[in-house]
Amino acid sequence: LLNLADKPELQASLYNGRGLNYCQVKNYQAAEADFKQAMALTKVSSNLNGYKNNLAMTYKYLGKYEQALEEINEALKAEPDQANALDTKGDILVCLSRYAEAVPFFDKAISLRPDVGEIYYNRARAYEGLKKTELALADYQKAVELEGEHQKEAAAKVEELKQKKTTAKAEN
């Protein structure tokens, strides 16, 4: 067996990995505990910020939005150009119906990682909240094109918004 007592970064990485697995099965309380353990063990700031991002997302899933914002703000203070953290902050703001505030975070994340469909999907949700249907439709279409985690949902939203446009035109 591997002795990890003198390898805290490896331990932290293992806790983080298990936390991600817990998120996959929606065991967010266990994920929260593992991400906190990973954060306590790591001394590498980029790892710490990744773990903070994961903890912020976990808090979001648990509906603990203020705690989620606190964690993600700390991560962004240390690494303001981290696309995942920018996307996470925007996502949390969307959950709080703070759509206008969320858009600039998605814009910056997209400028850093224009190849990630999930960021377009999340910005589309913000645009929908702002009733900017054309912008939402364009972002959902881009999310479908780039593929990724929310491709099915994005494709359904494209069809829904196109149908709404068709219905609106027919009524006028």
Side-chain angles (χ1 to χ4, degrees):
L1 269 158
L2 187 60
N3 181 358
L4 299 178
D6 60 344
K7 297 180 173 73
E9 291 304 325
L10 181 55
Q11 283 180 311
S13 178
L14 292 171
Y15 276 109
N16 183 62
R18 189 170 70 177
L20 292 171
N21 287 333
Y22 281 137
C23 285
Q24 290 293 314
V25 297
K26 298 180 177 14
N27 185 348
Y28 299 117
Q29 285 81 11
E32 176 184 0
D34 276 358
F35 294 138
K36 285 180 177 178
Q37 189 63 38
M39 289 165 53
L41 288 165
T42 192
K43 303 290 183 248
V44 178
S45 65
S46 61
N47 290 350
L48 178 62
N49 291 323
Y51 303 155
K52 284 181 180 290
N53 184 69
N54 293 342
L55 182 59
M57 287 300 291
T58 301
Y59 283 147
K60 182 197 86 157
Y61 294 134
L62 289 168
K64 298 177 179 181
Y65 300 117
E66 292 309 316
Q67 285 176 277
L69 281 175
E70 197 175 297
E71 288 299 330
I72 206 60
N73 285 339
E74 283 185 35
L76 284 168
K77 190 191 304 183
E79 288 185 88
D81 291 331
Q82 219 293 325
N84 287 343
L86 291 161
D87 181 48
T88 296
K89 179 150 184 186
D91 191 19
I92 295 164
L93 292 169
V94 166
C95 290
L96 292 167
S97 301
R98 291 162 58 180
Y99 307 114
E101 195 178 338
V103 171
F105 289 98
F106 296 131
D107 290 345
K108 187 170 181 183
I110 287 169
S111 76
L112 296 165
R113 293 292 312 275
D115 58 327
V116 179
E118 183 177 0
I119 304 170
Y120 290 93
Y121 175 82
N122 287 335
R123 186 172 68 177
R125 292 171 43 236
Y127 283 146
E128 261 197 289
L130 293 169
K131 309 284 189 246
K132 295 184 176 186
T133 307
E134 289 300 320
L135 292 172
L137 180 58
D139 274 359
Y140 283 132
Q141 288 172 322
K142 187 71 173 177
V144 170
E145 175 190 316
L146 291 172
E147 301 179 359
E149 188 176 334
H150 295 291
Q151 187 180 22
K152 264 190 204 173
E153 295 97 328
K157 286 302 242 173
V158 166
E159 292 309 311
E160 176 188 324
L161 293 179
K162 283 182 176 179
Q163 184 62 41
K164 282 182 182 177
K165 267 176 63 173
T166 303
T167 303
K169 281 183 183 177
E171 290 174 356
N172 290 331

